[in-house]
Amino acid sequence: MELKIFSQNRYDINSYLLYDTEEKKAYVIDPGLNGKAILKFLEQNELTLESILLTHGHGGHIAELFMCAGIFFRSLSYHPLFRHRCRHFHFVS
């Protein structure tokens, strides 16, 4: 398992991608303002996004969630207090 940190955005907000090059699976933590860069990395490395984890609901950490959610992934994990921000998803927290 490898870790890539994305922080090239206007507010230097970090997003994290855990990925396995052998299994071709990836997990995003706080997509934030790094959605385009994350999607590009996934595509370039032929990785499948399995899950997205939101550590908290500040706008800068979930801003491009919907961009990342536009591709198939299996689960979205978040604290129940963030349910109102994630209401467009049909996942159980």
Side-chain angles (χ1 to χ4, degrees), residues 57-81:
H58 290 147
H61 290 264
I62 66 168
E64 295 187 2
L65 167 64
F66 296 104
M67 182 181 298
C68 290
I71 63 173
F72 178 77
F73 65 95
R74 295 172 196 244
S75 69
L76 173 66
S77 301
Y78 56 89
H79 190 280
L81 292 176

Side-chain angles (χ1 to χ4, degrees), residues 15-28:
S15 298
Y16 305 91
L17 182 72
L18 290 169
Y19 64 98
D20 186 323
T21 55
E22 290 181 23
E23 291 190 27
K24 297 292 187 182
K25 294 181 179 180
Y27 309 86
V28 173

Side-chain angles (χ1 to χ4, degrees), residues 22-40:
E22 290 181 23
E23 291 190 27
K24 297 292 187 182
K25 294 181 179 180
Y27 309 86
V28 173
I29 302 168
D30 292 333
L33 298 168
N34 298 298
K36 289 179 185 176
I38 291 168
L39 293 177
K40 183 177 179 180

